[in-house]
Amino acid sequence: MADLAPLKLLLPSLSCPFPSVVSPHAEQVDAETFSWLVESRMIDDPAELDRYREAHYGWLGARTYPYASRDMLRLVTDWCVWLFAFDDAFCESDRRAAEIARALPQLLAVLDEDAGSRVRVEAPFACALLDIMCRVRDAGSADQLDRWRTVTKDYLYAQVWEAANREDAVIPTYGDYIFMRRRTGAMLTVFALIDLATGHPLTTDEWRHRDLRAITDSANDVVVWDNDLLSYAKERRGVNAPNNLVNVLVRHLHRSIQQSMDEIGRMRDAAVTRMVALRAGLDALGSPAVSAYVRGLEHWISGSVAYSLTSSRYTKAWQDLVLTPDHAERS
């Protein structure tokens, strides 16, 4: 791995041809979601809770689901915060793979329950997950719930792989990382809530459409690769350093850190271009649900970039690094 001495790096320009919109419910949902986090007891350290309050995750939901009703915005934002809390507690910690594996049964038991039944759970993360699952069930169809549960299980299983990388200080191969990042990044779990939030449910055939799968994969890549770039300053000194695409390229493609960041910038721009090309064919299907879903993916690209460039979750760690003039203006 590259030297971890203080660096001066330039983030590549994160091009985004998609509109940037903010929900009018942002402030209200931000406050309500933070209260939900406190009540959930997933995080009980006061200093850590202050960090979550300062991050204003309600604005992430407001930027990535700007079309959602207030209640739906609460649901998707609460879910995003559950993912951040789980990531901080299990995925950016020194917890061993076995510890995470032993935490899975209660979480999977929640997700395996029939839609109309309840599970007795005690662990805070499982209780909060049950709350989210019941709200997804109540807001959508059985198909929508099953889609979300399936990809959430994949996300949880993938965390054991990441933990094994941390435990053995193994930087995964490029191919393994690209494949697994689509699962470890949890984006499929938040994308599965898009048609719930739009109010236009996708049919089974639409969900399985080849081009819809392709544009979903491209959007997934853009968001997780952007996150690898934007979180590099935070992660480069942490236990999760092996699970960042910058370090994968440094190790296996023998690039410098800056060259690796520039390459990721080109990769994500190519994925954005694929999204634009795929949209024309999907719009031609004439399905309001498909069109709304594609717009939802686009809002995730623009919203996650705009949020990350202003959020204390990422910006504080960049104090010793240099942003491009373009990013300085946009932030």
Side-chain angles (χ1 to χ4, degrees):
M1 190 180 299
D3 181 17
L4 294 183
L7 298 172
K8 295 297 181 182
L9 299 172
L10 296 175
L11 277 172
S13 178
L14 306 180
S15 62
C16 185
F18 310 127
S20 181
V21 185
V22 181
S23 168
H25 308 298
E27 290 189 10
Q28 182 180 6
V29 167
D30 185 51
E32 292 175 350
T33 291
F34 180 74
S35 295
W36 176 81
L37 173 66
V38 173
E39 292 169 3
S40 75
R41 298 181 294 108
M42 289 186 290
I43 294 176
D44 53 15
D45 177 67
E48 188 73 355
L49 283 173
D50 283 343
R51 188 170 70 85
Y52 270 73
R53 181 189 290 107
E54 293 173 0
H56 294 296
Y57 290 115
W59 290 87
L60 173 63
R63 288 183 177 277
T64 53
Y65 300 90
Y67 48 84
S69 67
R70 192 198 68 81
D71 287 344
M72 282 307 308
L73 187 58
R74 262 296 311 279
L75 172 57
V76 296
T77 305
D78 287 358
W79 176 234
C80 287
V81 167
W82 189 97
L83 290 167
F84 279 122
F86 189 84
D87 186 68
D88 287 339
F90 288 90
C91 311
E92 292 197 14
S93 69
D94 57 359
R95 296 208 187 200
R96 299 170 66 85
E99 289 185 79
I100 296 179
R102 282 193 291 269
L104 292 183
Q106 199 167 139
L107 298 173
L108 295 175
V110 169
L111 295 170
D112 276 342
E113 275 300 291
D114 293 332
S117 61
R118 305 272 176 165
V119 180
R120 288 189 61 185
V121 295
E122 297 178 354
F125 279 96
C127 290
L129 180 62
L130 177 59
D131 174 57
I132 295 291
M133 190 197 72
C134 291
R135 290 156 66 189
V136 173
R137 178 201 63 199
D138 292 345
S141 67
D143 282 346
Q144 288 171 310
L145 175 62
D146 283 343
R147 292 169 194 161
W148 176 79
R149 291 195 298 190
T150 297
V151 292
T152 300
K153 291 176 189 177
D154 285 346
Y155 161 76
L156 291 171
Y157 288 132
Q159 302 316 305
V160 179
W161 175 80
E162 271 203 341
N165 293 338
R166 291 193 299 271
E167 187 173 329
D168 295 335
V170 170
I171 297 178
T173 65
Y174 176 81
D176 284 354
Y177 186 83
I178 296 299
F179 177 82
M180 291 300 293
R181 191 68 172 104
R182 288 180 176 174
R183 291 147 182 84
T184 64
M187 293 313 303
L188 293 178
T189 75
V190 297
F191 291 168
L193 298 180
I194 288 177
D195 71 330
L196 204 66
T198 65
H200 297 285
L202 294 162
T203 67
T204 300
D205 287 342
E206 288 170 340
W207 180 253
R208 294 177 176 174
H209 192 282
R210 180 186 62 183
D211 288 347
L212 195 81
R213 296 291 88 218
I215 200 170
T216 298
D217 285 344
S218 291
N220 191 347
D221 289 341
V222 174
V223 178
V224 298
W225 295 343
D226 283 355
N227 181 260
D228 282 355
L229 287 169
L230 292 164
S231 64
Y232 179 71
K234 178 171 67 75
E235 294 181 346
R236 60 187 287 265
R237 297 182 184 276
V239 295
N240 206 39
N243 296 307
N244 187 294
L245 184 54
V246 175
N247 289 328
V248 170
L249 297 185
V250 169
R251 170 61 63 85
H252 296 293
L253 298 188
H254 309 293
R255 308 284 177 82
S256 69
I257 294 175
Q258 186 64 64
Q259 288 171 339
S260 297
M261 294 177 70
D262 293 342
E263 177 61 21
I264 295 169
R266 289 188 287 269
M267 291 166 59
R268 57 91 57 202
D269 286 350
V272 169
T273 299
R274 287 194 295 273
M275 289 184 65
V276 173
L278 286 163
R279 177 171 182 168
L282 288 167
D283 282 345
L285 296 176
S287 165
V290 169
S291 295
Y293 177 79
V294 171
R295 287 193 298 272
L297 293 177
E298 293 173 350
H299 282 302
W300 250 105
I301 304 299
S302 62
S304 61
V305 170
Y307 171 79
S308 298
L309 290 174
T310 59
S311 171
S312 60
R313 182 175 178 89
Y314 304 103
T315 56
K316 285 186 176 180
W318 281 94
Q319 59 186 345
D320 293 328
L321 304 179
V322 178
L323 299 180
T324 63
D326 175 59
H327 283 83
E329 291 172 5
R330 289 168 58 185
S331 64

